[in-house]
Amino acid sequence: MTSHPSLPYRPQGTVYGTLLNFQREAALWATRMTEPPYQGAPQAPVLYIKTANTFSPHGAAIALPASVDEVDVGASIGLVIGFYKENRHLAPVERAQAAINSIAVGVVGCVLMNDLSIPHASYYRPPVKYKNLDGFLGVGPRCVPLADLGGLAGVGALQLQVRINGELRQTIDLRTLVRDAATLLADVNDFMTLQPGDVLMPGTDCLDDGTRPRARAGDRIDISAPGFETLVKTLVKEAA
Amino acid sequence: MNSKTIARHARVAWAGAIHEAIESDGQLLLTRSPHAGRRVAFDEVVWLPPLAPVPQARTILALGLNYADHAKELAFKAPDEPLVFVKGEASLIGHRAFTTRPAGVQFMHYECELAVVIGKTAKKVKRDDAYDFIAGYTVANDYAIRDYLENWYRPNLRVKNRDTCTPLGPWLVDAASVPNPMNLALQTTVNGHITQSGHTRDMIFDVPFLIEYFSSFMTLQPGDLILTGTPDGVVDCQPGDVVVTQIEGLGALTNTLLGPA
């Protein structure tokens, strides 16, 4: 969570993204998954990391290098990990103990994210040169407390909308995740402990034809969802 | 201090707090208040990764298949472009620590790697200037559990971003003390037996190339790491094995494997 309510949210820890976690894209990839080089559908969650140089706050422009004409828009939510007090119904004796032990680590809020990529066809090798360019993660503007969204259940029913230059280009339904937030968190925590400050994006969806909305220099990308202030990013050409 | 002296920096826990120290006559000399000037023995401390905290998530880039012999060992053709993956800071542990080997895996191996620590903001750096942007060097052991490899964003984070699986240290050695990082011998021993030997001159993409390549599209910050790959000779290790990865001039990083709790 941001340390000051009026400053835009900025991730404090590591930001993780998840590949192929929407049913639409998983279905489109079903045949290709069995072919080389993949040789089978992924068994464990497939993750990537958006490094700190990618963070770009709400309102700031994102500069596209001269070599990049178009980018894929990856609208997502980020599940923000932090400390919280467990909110279980407890008998009086347990309450005393819980007051000492009740600080837990888990999802404390959600933030809108615009996970940009240079378009790429292969999911074989880590997508660092496509996804980790400076500014390629729009973030914000606020981390909304989980309780305000109806908990993980409420988050799981969210719909995001992507508009480019005011035109609706994509609606994303979090009910169509392959692994829902709770399952994804459990499967990820199996091998790597998510730390307070870390953010986990459950995934980005594709369009019905398997592509993602494309944007170019000069475009304005709005990502909105109920309960959130809209995340606005504009793309500009990098100064020569 | 003589600027030509090899300066080896450590970060350690001792007496209930975390301290910065330098090596001095076979001991740790604490450098900051409230214990500045105090000497402690190597055995008296818990060794942490020798990295000062940074204000935002540290970028850790790691290279796969960056030594021609290792590529052959794994039956791959050497790549035309660096094969890079990203690790999170949570996988880092220090010298003399413990790495967990999960139950039921067949092939978990160490990887002795030269780790470069960035010293100043690096954006669009040319290879001839690359060394100006390096704070120093340390040893990394980028353990991998091959059983968990999948052909999706490979090597995947389940293999390469595991809790406890990236020992780093013991020292951050100042760049000025390492005039030629491309001329260092690497060696790993398991329970005292040499199992891996290599040399940084055999890197496919050298340190200056890597800094130019990454900084061409990613701005790197002080404290960011580049783990530059491992040579031939990776071997499966079992719980109880003591694995020492060492690099000429940088020290020996000791690690012990534990079975599951």
Side-chain angles (χ1 to χ4, degrees), chain A residues 21 24 29 44 47 59 87 89 95 102 118 131 144 146 162 167 184 188 193 206 215 222 229 232 237-238:
Chain A
N21 198 32
R24 174 182 284 108
W29 270 76
L47 303 179
N87 188 25
H89 190 71
R95 257 186 248 140
S102 66
I118 297 175
K131 283 187 158 298
V144 177
L146 191 65
V162 179
E167 182 195 330
L184 181 64
V188 167
T193 304
C206 62
D222 288 16
E229 213 179 307
V232 179
K237 258 303 176 204
E238 192 174 52

Side-chain angles (χ1 to χ4, degrees), chain B residues 24-221:
Chain B
S24 172
D25 295 328
Q27 293 185 303
L28 289 160
L29 175 64
L30 304 187
T31 55
R32 301 263 180 114
S33 71
H35 291 292
R38 192 176 297 280
R39 292 174 166 276
V40 294
F42 293 173
D43 287 349
E44 290 184 80
V45 304
V46 172
W47 294 74
L48 305 173
L51 303 170
V54 287
Q56 60 183 12
R58 192 185 308 274
T59 289
I60 305 174
L61 299 164
L63 278 294
L65 305 177
N66 199 31
Y67 284 76
D69 282 350
H70 182 58
K72 197 164 42 139
E73 182 177 47
L74 298 180
F76 284 99
K77 186 173 84 64
D80 306 313
E81 201 172 0
L83 166 56
V84 60
F85 55 98
V86 183
K87 298 163 75 70
E89 188 162 9
S91 71
L92 298 180
I93 60 173
H95 172 52
R96 298 186 178 190
F98 301 93
T99 294
T100 304
R101 180 186 162 103
V105 300
Q106 303 299 311
F107 192 2
M108 176 170 180
H109 62 77
Y110 54 77
E111 292 189 356
C112 178
E113 310 209 7
L114 172 68
V116 175
V117 183
I118 299 296
K120 57 183 196 186
T121 301
K123 182 173 172 130
K124 297 195 191 318
V125 172
K126 294 299 155 204
R127 63 167 294 140
D128 287 348
D129 301 323
Y131 289 150
D132 295 342
F133 290 80
I134 297 176
Y137 303 89
T138 186
V139 183
N141 179 350
D142 190 13
Y143 275 109
I145 301 177
R146 303 202 76 75
D147 305 58
Y148 298 148
L149 274 172
E150 297 199 84
N151 292 320
W152 299 93
Y153 286 171
R154 172 183 175 134
N156 40 309
L157 269 69
R158 188 169 175 231
V159 174
K160 285 294 190 171
N161 200 49
R162 308 182 63 80
D163 292 346
T164 80
C165 281
T166 312
L168 195 77
W171 312 103
L172 172 58
V173 180
D174 285 342
S177 306
V178 188
N180 188 1
M182 304 318 306
N183 192 28
L184 303 174
L186 300 89
Q187 179 177 282
T188 303
T189 62
V190 179
N191 302 326
H193 304 289
I194 299 174
T195 49
Q196 182 183 41
S197 285
H199 203 283
T200 59
R201 65 171 164 249
D202 296 327
M203 260 189 232
I204 297 170
F205 302 105
D206 66 9
V207 168
F209 177 97
L210 293 172
I211 291 188
E212 177 171 317
Y213 175 80
F214 291 128
S215 72
S216 74
F217 62 91
M218 298 173 68
T219 299
L220 302 176
Q221 297 296 347

Side-chain angles (χ1 to χ4, degrees), chain A residues 103-117:
Chain A
I103 302 298
V105 174
V107 180
V108 294
C110 289
V111 60
L112 292 176
M113 295 192 136
N114 186 350
D115 177 2
L116 293 182
S117 311

Side-chain angles (χ1 to χ4, degrees), chain A:
Chain A
M1 304 283 285
T2 185
S3 58
H4 189 291
S6 68
L7 292 176
Y9 168 81
R10 185 180 170 85
Q12 300 297 300
T14 303
V15 177
Y16 297 94
T18 308
L19 180 68
L20 284 170
N21 198 32
F22 274 88
Q23 293 163 17
R24 174 182 284 108
E25 193 172 21
L28 287 169
W29 270 76
T31 305
R32 207 164 148 196
M33 284 184 184
T34 63
E35 294 162 2
Y38 308 106
Q39 313 285 28
Q43 301 304 301
V46 184
L47 303 179
Y48 54 95
I49 292 174
K50 297 287 283 198
T51 46
N53 66 293
T54 66
F55 303 165
S56 180
H58 163 72
I62 299 171
L64 297 184
S67 56
V68 178
D69 273 339
E70 288 191 309
V71 289
D72 281 346
V73 174
S76 184
I77 52 154
L79 303 169
V80 179
I81 307 298
F83 292 109
Y84 69 98
K85 282 180 111 46
E86 288 193 347
N87 188 25
R88 295 175 294 140
H89 190 71
L90 298 167
V93 144
E94 290 172 306
R95 257 186 248 140
Q97 189 62 41
I100 302 166
N101 293 343
S102 66
I103 302 298
V105 174
V107 180
V108 294
C110 289
V111 60
L112 292 176
M113 295 192 136
N114 186 350
D115 177 2
L116 293 182
S117 311
I118 297 175
H120 55 286
S122 172
Y123 292 156
Y124 179 52
R125 290 300 192 187
V128 180
K129 67 179 181 180
Y130 304 117
K131 283 187 158 298
N132 289 77
L133 282 72
D134 288 352
F136 268 38
L137 184 69
V139 183
R142 312 261 163 252
C143 178
V144 177
L146 191 65
D148 294 356
L149 297 166
L152 279 185
V155 169
L158 275 176
Q159 300 212 334
L160 282 62
Q161 294 195 326
V162 179
R163 286 177 171 75
I164 299 179
N165 301 327
E167 182 195 330
L168 179 66
R169 299 280 297 274
Q170 185 180 31
T171 300
I172 294 146
D173 186 344
L174 291 184
R175 292 171 302 180
T176 65
L177 285 173
V178 174
R179 281 183 171 89
D180 66 12
T183 308
L184 181 64
L185 287 162
D187 289 352
V188 167
N189 272 296
D190 209 36
F191 64 91
M192 58 180 240
T193 304
L194 290 167
Q195 304 290 334
D198 287 349
V199 184
L200 175 61
M201 295 188 282
T204 66
D205 201 2
C206 62
L207 301 167
D208 285 335
D209 65 356
T211 67
R212 280 171 169 72
R214 291 268 173 99
R216 326 170 59 90
D219 285 347
R220 170 187 156 137
I221 309 163
D222 288 16
I223 297 174
S224 58
F228 292 84
E229 213 179 307
T230 298
L231 168 60
V232 179
K233 301 301 297 172
T234 50
L235 304 182
V236 298
K237 258 303 176 204
E238 192 174 52

